[in-house]
């Protein structure tokens, strides 16, 4: 087992199908990753299994109670004290390819999914190691964010993407967006694949791809370009692109 994900949630069934399909499903079958869901409601002691309550100080919505979450976390940590606890929240640090790569070096992650207005602050003070956000918008729950994180992190586990593929070649690998991709047919309703891609000239192909990655990044995500470690040739290509008419 290369990596374990324990997901603390009020809706464990949400994880059944998305994580059983395709690449992730195969990675679970091949025991490259293990994904276990733990229902926080199973750690309530009252007959009504109450997991939320009204916020102190008033205000809208409900807050998840600390006790059931504390019992759930302690039950997992008792088996695996070194597991790292991550709370998915819009207040967290943004999930990125770099952060996903770093998380993939952890053998065991516990992912806490919030609902309602979120969890009691003492859960974060007492248990949470890291707060992570998948984006500046508000979801109905942290479950989908946890699935996104599991997907992005699992791609770095050797063998998950298949033997010839590694997440190291992806978009954002060096903060550049990916170049345009084409496959058969060569001519679709008069729209043809760029000639260079069928030239067999591999250095010309990689130069074209680098130029297109730089063009696309400078157009769509100049913020990324500022963080990319550009070679002298990249800077020359960017000059060309910025001075060329077809930059716009
Ligand atoms: C979220 C995000 C997110 C906030 C209130 C769950 C919701 C509800 N998680 N990245 N964006 N969480 O919107 O991670 O409890």
């Amino acid at each position: 087992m290369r990596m374990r994900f324990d997901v603390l949630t009020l809706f464990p069934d949400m994880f059944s199908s998305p994580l059983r399909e395709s690449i992730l499903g195969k990675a679970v079958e091949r025991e490259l990753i293990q994904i276990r869901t733990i229902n926080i409601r199973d750690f309530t002691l009252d007959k009504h299994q109450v997991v939320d309550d009204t916020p102190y100080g008033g205000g809208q919505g409900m807050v998840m109670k600390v006790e059931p979450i504390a019992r759930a976390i302690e039950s997992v940590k008792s088996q695996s004290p070194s597991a790292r606890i991550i709370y998915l929240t819009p207040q967290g640090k943004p999930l990125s390819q770099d952060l996903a790569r770093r998380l993939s070096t952890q053998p065991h992650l516990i992912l806490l999914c919030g609902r309602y207005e979120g969890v009691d602050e003492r859960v974060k003070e007492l248990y949470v190691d890291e707060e992570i956000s998948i984006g500046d918008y508000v979801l109905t729950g942290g479950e989908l964010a946890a699935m996104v994180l599991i997907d992005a992190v699992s791609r770095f586990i050797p063998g998950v993407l298949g033997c010839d593929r590694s997440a190291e070649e992806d978009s954002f690998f060096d903060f550049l967006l990916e170049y345009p991709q084409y496959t058969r047919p060569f001519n679709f309703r008069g729209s043809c694949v760029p000639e260079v891609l069928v030239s067999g000239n591999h250095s010309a192909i990689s130069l074209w791809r680098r130029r297109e990655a730089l063009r696309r990044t400078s157009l769509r995500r100049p913020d990324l370009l500022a963080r990319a470690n550009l070679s002298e040739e990249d800077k020359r290509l960017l000059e060309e692109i910025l001075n060329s008419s077809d930059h716009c």
Side-chain angles (χ1 to χ4, degrees):
M1 186 62 54
R2 264 301 272 101
M3 187 158 189
R4 281 183 61 188
F5 298 93
D6 280 328
V7 183
L8 303 185
T9 172
L10 290 173
F11 301 98
D13 296 348
M14 283 182 69
F15 292 80
S16 48
S17 60
L19 301 175
R20 236 213 314 273
E21 300 303 325
S22 179
I23 289 175
L24 285 184
K26 289 192 189 63
V28 170
E29 272 162 31
R30 296 164 54 212
E31 298 196 343
L32 293 171
I33 61 174
Q34 181 194 19
I35 303 164
R36 201 170 54 145
T37 55
I38 293 145
N39 191 333
I40 295 167
R41 203 178 291 280
D42 295 345
F43 293 85
T44 57
L45 302 179
D46 60 302
K47 75 174 169 358
H48 301 297
Q49 296 195 305
V50 175
V51 294
D52 61 333
D53 203 341
T54 54
Y56 274 120
Q60 62 165 10
M62 300 291 273
V63 175
M64 289 178 76
K65 291 170 61 64
V66 59
E67 306 101 318
I69 297 173
R71 293 189 204 98
I73 288 174
E74 285 163 8
S75 79
V76 178
K77 288 283 261 186
S78 62
Q79 301 148 21
S80 172
S82 63
R84 199 163 171 71
I85 301 174
I86 292 177
Y87 177 47
L88 288 304
T89 169
Q91 290 126 41
K93 70 171 71 93
L95 180 62
S96 66
Q97 194 70 346
D98 245 16
L99 179 50
R101 179 190 296 108
R102 179 168 63 70
L103 292 171
S104 71
T105 63
Q106 296 286 327
H108 188 181
L109 293 180
I110 298 173
L111 307 180
L112 174 58
C113 304
R115 278 274 156 175
Y116 322 115
E117 302 310 308
V119 302
D120 185 295
E121 192 64 19
R122 292 164 288 186
V123 170
K124 302 175 206 177
E125 288 161 11
L126 297 170
Y127 298 102
V128 171
D129 298 308
E130 212 160 348
E131 295 184 45
I132 295 177
S133 170
I134 65 164
D136 298 341
Y137 39 80
V138 181
L139 304 168
T140 58
E143 284 77 11
L144 294 175
M147 290 181 217
V148 167
L149 184 147
I150 291 171
D151 190 300
V153 170
S154 299
R155 298 176 79 260
F156 284 98
I157 305 298
V160 166
L161 289 184
C163 48
D164 60 344
R165 235 358 220 85
S166 85
E168 297 300 349
E169 295 145 37
D170 285 333
S171 272
F172 303 106
F173 161 53
D174 50 4
F175 295 107
L176 290 184
L177 300 182
E178 203 152 274
Y179 47 78
Q181 296 273 15
Y182 297 86
T183 188
R184 280 175 283 276
F186 178 83
N187 178 338
F188 177 69
R189 299 181 188 162
S191 167
C192 294
V193 173
E195 285 292 340
V196 64
L197 296 180
V198 294
S199 67
N201 177 338
H202 296 296
S203 59
I205 290 169
S206 52
L207 179 63
W208 179 88
R209 285 175 166 173
R210 191 71 178 175
R211 182 184 296 110
E212 291 311 309
L214 289 164
R215 183 197 314 282
R216 185 166 278 190
T217 309
S218 63
L219 271 174
R220 301 180 188 186
R221 294 291 307 277
D223 59 304
L224 283 177
L225 211 51
R227 295 161 58 195
N229 41 16
L230 301 178
S231 67
E232 287 317 307
E233 188 190 37
D234 289 337
K235 291 172 185 150
R236 186 181 58 72
L237 286 170
L238 261 178
E239 254 337 280
E240 250 181 48
I241 290 165
L242 297 173
N243 303 339
S244 68
S245 58
D246 62 1
H247 169 54
C248 304

Coordinates of all heavy atoms in Angstrom, one line a residue, residues 12-22 24-25 147:
P12 N -20.7 9.2 3.6 CA -19.7 8.3 3.0 C -20.1 7.8 1.6 O -19.2 7.5 0.8 CB -19.7 7.2 4.0 CG -20.8 7.4 4.9 CD -21.2 8.8 4.9
D13 N -21.4 7.6 1.3 CA -21.8 7.0 0.0 C -21.4 7.9 -1.1 O -21.3 7.5 -2.3 CB -23.3 6.8 0.0 CG -23.7 5.8 1.1 OD1 -22.8 5.1 1.6 OD2 -24.9 5.6 1.4
M14 N -21.2 9.2 -0.9 CA -20.8 10.1 -2.0 C -19.5 9.6 -2.6 O -19.2 9.9 -3.8 CB -20.6 11.5 -1.5 CG -21.8 12.3 -1.3 SD -21.4 14.0 -0.7 CE -20.7 14.7 -2.2
F15 N -18.7 8.9 -1.9 CA -17.4 8.5 -2.4 C -17.4 7.2 -3.1 O -16.4 6.8 -3.7 CB -16.4 8.4 -1.2 CG -16.1 9.7 -0.6 CD1 -17.0 10.3 0.3 CD2 -15.0 10.4 -0.9 CE1 -16.8 11.5 0.9 CE2 -14.7 11.6 -0.4 CZ -15.6 12.2 0.5
S16 N -18.5 6.5 -3.2 CA -18.5 5.1 -3.7 C -18.2 5.2 -5.2 O -17.1 4.8 -5.6 CB -19.9 4.4 -3.5 OG -20.9 5.4 -3.9
S17 N -19.0 5.8 -6.0 CA -18.7 5.6 -7.5 C -17.6 6.5 -8.0 O -16.7 5.9 -8.7 CB -20.0 5.9 -8.3 OG -20.4 7.2 -8.0
P18 N -17.4 7.7 -7.7 CA -16.3 8.5 -8.3 C -15.0 7.9 -8.1 O -14.1 7.9 -9.0 CB -16.4 9.9 -7.6 CG -17.7 10.0 -7.1 CD -18.1 8.6 -6.7
L19 N -14.8 7.2 -7.0 CA -13.4 6.7 -6.7 C -13.3 5.2 -7.1 O -12.3 4.5 -6.8 CB -13.1 6.9 -5.2 CG -13.1 8.4 -4.8 CD1 -12.9 8.5 -3.3 CD2 -12.1 9.2 -5.5
R20 N -14.4 4.7 -7.8 CA -14.3 3.3 -8.2 C -14.0 3.2 -9.7 O -13.7 2.2 -10.2 CB -15.6 2.6 -7.8 CG -15.4 1.4 -7.0 CD -16.4 0.3 -7.2 NE -17.8 0.7 -7.3 CZ -18.5 0.9 -6.2 NH1 -18.1 0.6 -5.0 NH2 -19.8 1.3 -6.3
E21 N -14.2 4.4 -10.4 CA -14.1 4.3 -11.9 C -12.6 4.6 -12.3 O -11.8 5.1 -11.6 CB -14.9 5.5 -12.4 CG -16.4 5.4 -12.1 CD -17.0 4.1 -12.6 OE1 -16.6 3.6 -13.6 OE2 -17.8 3.5 -11.8
S22 N -12.3 4.1 -13.5 CA -11.2 4.5 -14.3 C -9.9 4.4 -13.5 O -9.7 3.5 -12.7 CB -11.3 6.0 -14.7 OG -10.2 6.4 -15.4
L24 N -8.4 5.9 -10.9 CA -8.4 5.8 -9.4 C -8.9 4.4 -9.0 O -8.4 3.8 -8.1 CB -9.2 6.9 -8.8 CG -8.5 8.3 -8.8 CD1 -9.4 9.3 -8.0 CD2 -7.2 8.2 -8.1
G25 N -10.0 4.0 -9.7 CA -10.6 2.6 -9.4 C -9.5 1.5 -9.5 O -9.4 0.7 -8.7
M147 N -12.5 14.6 -2.7 CA -12.3 13.8 -3.9 C -11.3 14.4 -4.9 O -10.4 13.7 -5.5 CB -13.6 13.5 -4.6 CG -14.6 12.7 -3.9 SD -16.1 12.4 -4.8 CE -17.3 12.4 -3.5

